[in-house]
Amino acid sequence: MSRISLILALLSFVLCFACNSAIAQVKVDPKSPIKKYVDKYMATTAKKGVPAPKPNRAAAKKLIEHGWHIFKTKLDYDLAYTDFFQAIKADPTSAPAYFGVAYLSSNKNHLADAIIFYREALKYEKKFGPIYTNLATALNLQNSNNPEIGVLMEQSIKNCPKFTDAYLIYGDFLAAKGDWTKAGQVVNQAVKLGVKIPPDFVTEFKQHGVKIDE
Protein backbone atom coordinates (compact mmCIF):
# COMPACT_ATOMS: atom_id res chain seq x y z
CA MET A 1 0.00 0.00 0.00
CA SER A 2 1.18 3.49 -0.74
CA ARG A 3 2.02 5.13 2.55
CA ILE A 4 -0.11 8.16 3.27
CA SER A 5 2.15 11.18 3.45
CA LEU A 6 3.07 12.68 6.80
CA ILE A 7 1.71 15.94 5.38
CA LEU A 8 -1.83 14.56 5.69
CA ALA A 9 -1.35 14.55 9.42
CA LEU A 10 -0.01 18.06 9.43
CA LEU A 11 -2.61 19.95 7.39
CA SER A 12 -5.11 21.07 9.97
CA PHE A 13 -3.46 23.58 12.25
CA VAL A 14 -5.96 26.41 11.82
CA LEU A 15 -8.70 25.17 14.16
CA CYS A 16 -9.22 26.82 17.52
CA PHE A 17 -7.33 25.73 20.60
CA ALA A 18 -8.20 26.28 24.24
CA CYS A 19 -5.53 26.81 26.85
CA ASN A 20 -5.13 25.91 30.51
CA SER A 21 -2.94 27.76 32.97
CA ALA A 22 0.05 25.51 33.80
CA ILE A 23 3.66 26.40 32.95
CA ALA A 24 5.76 24.13 30.77
CA GLN A 25 8.93 22.40 31.87
CA VAL A 26 10.53 21.43 28.57
CA LYS A 27 13.84 19.66 28.09
CA VAL A 28 15.35 18.67 24.77
CA ASP A 29 18.48 16.72 23.95
CA PRO A 30 21.66 18.83 24.32
CA LYS A 31 22.39 18.10 20.66
CA SER A 32 18.90 19.03 19.50
CA PRO A 33 18.84 21.60 16.67
CA ILE A 34 16.18 23.56 18.56
CA LYS A 35 18.00 23.67 21.91
CA LYS A 36 19.24 27.18 21.09
CA TYR A 37 15.63 28.38 20.89
CA VAL A 38 14.66 26.56 24.10
CA ASP A 39 17.59 28.13 25.93
CA LYS A 40 16.89 31.60 24.58
CA TYR A 41 13.12 31.80 24.88
CA MET A 42 12.10 29.29 27.53
CA ALA A 43 14.74 29.85 30.24
CA THR A 44 12.39 31.92 32.41
CA THR A 45 9.66 29.27 32.28
CA ALA A 46 11.97 26.30 32.81
CA LYS A 47 13.50 27.35 36.13
CA LYS A 48 11.83 26.27 39.33
CA GLY A 49 10.87 29.04 41.69
CA VAL A 50 10.73 31.73 39.02
CA PRO A 51 7.30 33.41 38.99
CA ALA A 52 5.46 32.84 35.73
CA PRO A 53 4.93 36.01 33.70
CA LYS A 54 1.36 37.02 32.98
CA PRO A 55 0.42 35.40 29.64
CA ASN A 56 0.15 37.81 26.73
CA ARG A 57 -2.18 35.79 24.55
CA ALA A 58 -2.79 38.56 22.03
CA ALA A 59 0.93 38.88 21.34
CA ALA A 60 1.31 35.10 21.15
CA LYS A 61 -1.53 34.86 18.64
CA LYS A 62 0.09 37.43 16.34
CA LEU A 63 3.45 35.69 16.56
CA ILE A 64 1.89 32.34 15.72
CA GLU A 65 0.06 33.77 12.73
CA HIS A 66 3.27 35.36 11.49
CA GLY A 67 5.18 32.13 12.04
CA TRP A 68 2.78 30.17 9.84
CA HIS A 69 2.88 32.93 7.22
CA ILE A 70 6.68 32.86 7.12
CA PHE A 71 6.73 29.09 6.95
CA LYS A 72 4.11 28.79 4.21
CA THR A 73 5.36 31.62 2.03
CA LYS A 74 9.13 31.43 2.50
CA LEU A 75 9.75 28.02 4.12
CA ASP A 76 12.03 29.86 6.54
CA TYR A 77 12.40 27.49 9.47
CA ASP A 78 14.60 29.76 11.55
CA LEU A 79 12.18 32.70 11.46
CA ALA A 80 9.17 30.44 11.97
CA TYR A 81 10.81 28.70 14.95
CA THR A 82 11.69 32.12 16.36
CA ASP A 83 8.08 33.28 16.08
CA PHE A 84 6.70 30.15 17.71
CA PHE A 85 9.22 30.23 20.55
CA GLN A 86 8.58 33.94 21.10
CA ALA A 87 4.89 33.03 21.28
CA ILE A 88 5.69 30.44 23.95
CA LYS A 89 7.61 33.08 25.87
CA ALA A 90 4.66 35.48 25.57
CA ASP A 91 2.17 32.80 26.62
CA PRO A 92 3.70 29.59 28.04
CA THR A 93 0.23 27.98 27.95
CA SER A 94 -0.25 28.43 24.20
CA ALA A 95 -0.95 25.02 22.68
CA PRO A 96 -0.79 26.42 19.12
CA ALA A 97 2.75 27.67 19.75
CA TYR A 98 3.97 24.26 20.92
CA PHE A 99 2.10 22.69 18.01
CA GLY A 100 3.94 25.00 15.62
CA VAL A 101 7.34 23.99 16.99
CA ALA A 102 6.37 20.32 16.78
CA TYR A 103 5.09 20.73 13.23
CA LEU A 104 8.35 22.27 12.02
CA SER A 105 10.36 19.57 13.76
CA SER A 106 8.20 16.87 12.16
CA ASN A 107 8.77 18.40 8.75
CA LYS A 108 12.52 18.29 9.33
CA ASN A 109 12.23 14.68 10.56
CA HIS A 110 13.46 15.68 14.02
CA LEU A 111 11.07 13.22 15.60
CA ALA A 112 12.28 13.40 19.21
CA ASP A 113 11.70 17.16 19.31
CA ALA A 114 8.37 16.84 17.51
CA ILE A 115 7.16 14.29 20.05
CA ILE A 116 8.24 16.45 22.99
CA PHE A 117 6.41 19.50 21.71
CA TYR A 118 3.27 17.67 20.59
CA ARG A 119 3.08 16.33 24.14
CA GLU A 120 3.48 19.87 25.45
CA ALA A 121 0.63 21.02 23.21
CA LEU A 122 -1.55 18.24 24.66
CA LYS A 123 -0.94 19.56 28.17
CA TYR A 124 -2.82 22.74 27.28
CA GLU A 125 -5.30 21.45 24.70
CA LYS A 126 -7.07 18.10 25.08
CA LYS A 127 -9.71 18.34 22.35
CA PHE A 128 -7.80 19.25 19.17
CA GLY A 129 -7.65 16.01 17.18
CA PRO A 130 -4.69 16.85 14.91
CA ILE A 131 -2.33 17.00 17.91
CA TYR A 132 -3.11 13.36 18.68
CA THR A 133 -2.81 12.33 15.03
CA ASN A 134 0.46 14.17 14.50
CA LEU A 135 1.94 12.77 17.70
CA ALA A 136 0.86 9.28 16.66
CA THR A 137 2.42 9.79 13.22
CA ALA A 138 5.73 10.91 14.72
CA LEU A 139 5.74 7.94 17.09
CA ASN A 140 4.93 5.62 14.19
CA LEU A 141 7.88 6.92 12.20
CA GLN A 142 10.08 6.45 15.25
CA ASN A 143 8.80 2.97 16.20
CA SER A 144 5.72 1.48 14.53
CA ASN A 145 5.31 -1.05 17.36
CA ASN A 146 4.59 1.62 19.97
CA PRO A 147 1.20 0.65 21.50
CA GLU A 148 0.42 4.32 22.14
CA ILE A 149 -0.08 4.97 18.42
CA GLY A 150 -3.48 3.29 18.14
CA VAL A 151 -4.69 4.91 21.35
CA LEU A 152 -3.78 8.36 20.04
CA MET A 153 -5.44 7.72 16.69
CA GLU A 154 -8.64 6.62 18.40
CA GLN A 155 -8.57 9.72 20.60
CA SER A 156 -8.10 11.96 17.58
CA ILE A 157 -11.19 10.51 15.90
CA LYS A 158 -13.18 10.71 19.13
CA ASN A 159 -12.24 14.36 19.70
CA CYS A 160 -12.51 15.56 16.10
CA PRO A 161 -14.87 13.18 14.25
CA LYS A 162 -14.90 15.44 11.18
CA PHE A 163 -11.09 15.50 10.88
CA THR A 164 -11.09 13.00 8.01
CA ASP A 165 -7.30 12.80 7.65
CA ALA A 166 -7.25 10.92 10.96
CA TYR A 167 -9.37 8.10 9.54
CA LEU A 168 -7.14 7.71 6.48
CA ILE A 169 -3.92 7.81 8.48
CA TYR A 170 -5.28 5.37 11.05
CA GLY A 171 -6.59 3.08 8.31
CA ASP A 172 -3.21 3.10 6.61
CA PHE A 173 -1.49 2.32 9.91
CA LEU A 174 -3.81 -0.62 10.61
CA ALA A 175 -3.38 -1.97 7.07
CA ALA A 176 0.39 -1.81 7.43
CA LYS A 177 -0.04 -3.94 10.56
CA GLY A 178 -2.12 -6.45 8.61
CA ASP A 179 -5.40 -5.59 10.35
CA TRP A 180 -7.28 -5.06 7.08
CA THR A 181 -10.74 -5.62 8.55
CA LYS A 182 -10.46 -2.85 11.12
CA ALA A 183 -8.62 -0.67 8.61
CA GLY A 184 -11.57 -1.00 6.24
CA GLN A 185 -14.01 -0.09 8.99
CA VAL A 186 -12.04 3.06 9.79
CA VAL A 187 -11.65 4.09 6.14
CA ASN A 188 -15.36 3.53 5.52
CA GLN A 189 -16.08 5.98 8.33
CA ALA A 190 -14.18 8.58 6.28
CA VAL A 191 -16.20 7.64 3.19
CA LYS A 192 -19.41 8.33 5.12
CA LEU A 193 -18.04 11.80 5.82
CA GLY A 194 -17.64 12.43 2.10
CA VAL A 195 -14.00 11.46 1.55
CA LYS A 196 -13.22 10.11 -1.93
CA ILE A 197 -10.86 7.16 -1.61
CA PRO A 198 -8.26 6.73 -4.41
CA PRO A 199 -9.01 3.74 -6.70
CA ASP A 200 -5.68 2.02 -6.00
CA PHE A 201 -6.42 2.25 -2.27
CA VAL A 202 -9.84 0.63 -2.85
CA THR A 203 -8.29 -2.08 -5.02
CA GLU A 204 -5.73 -3.02 -2.42
CA PHE A 205 -8.36 -3.38 0.26
CA LYS A 206 -10.39 -5.54 -2.12
CA GLN A 207 -7.38 -7.80 -2.62
CA HIS A 208 -7.45 -8.41 1.11
CA GLY A 209 -11.14 -9.20 1.15
CA VAL A 210 -12.29 -5.82 2.44
CA LYS A 211 -14.86 -3.70 0.62
CA ILE A 212 -14.49 0.07 0.68
CA ASP A 213 -17.78 1.88 0.13
CA GLU A 214 -17.85 4.19 -2.90
Side-chain angles (χ1 to χ4, degrees), residues 6-24:
L6 174 63
I7 294 298
L8 278 177
L10 302 175
L11 291 176
S12 298
F13 50 76
V14 296
L15 301 181
C16 292
F17 288 83
C19 292
N20 296 319
S21 58
I23 297 300

Side-chain angles (χ1 to χ4, degrees), residues 128-182:
F128 188 57
I131 306 177
Y132 293 91
T133 304
N134 291 12
L135 174 56
T137 301
L139 290 170
N140 186 32
L141 290 170
Q142 189 181 65
N143 176 11
S144 64
N145 293 317
N146 189 327
E148 187 181 3
I149 296 168
V151 175
L152 290 166
M153 292 289 193
E154 295 278 1
Q155 193 65 48
S156 177
I157 290 172
K158 179 181 179 181
N159 289 359
C160 284
K162 293 184 179 180
F163 177 47
T164 54
D165 285 353
Y167 297 92
L168 300 180
I169 295 163
Y170 190 24
D172 186 69
F173 169 76
L174 291 168
K177 290 293 184 183
D179 192 347
W180 290 92
T181 300
K182 186 172 181 179

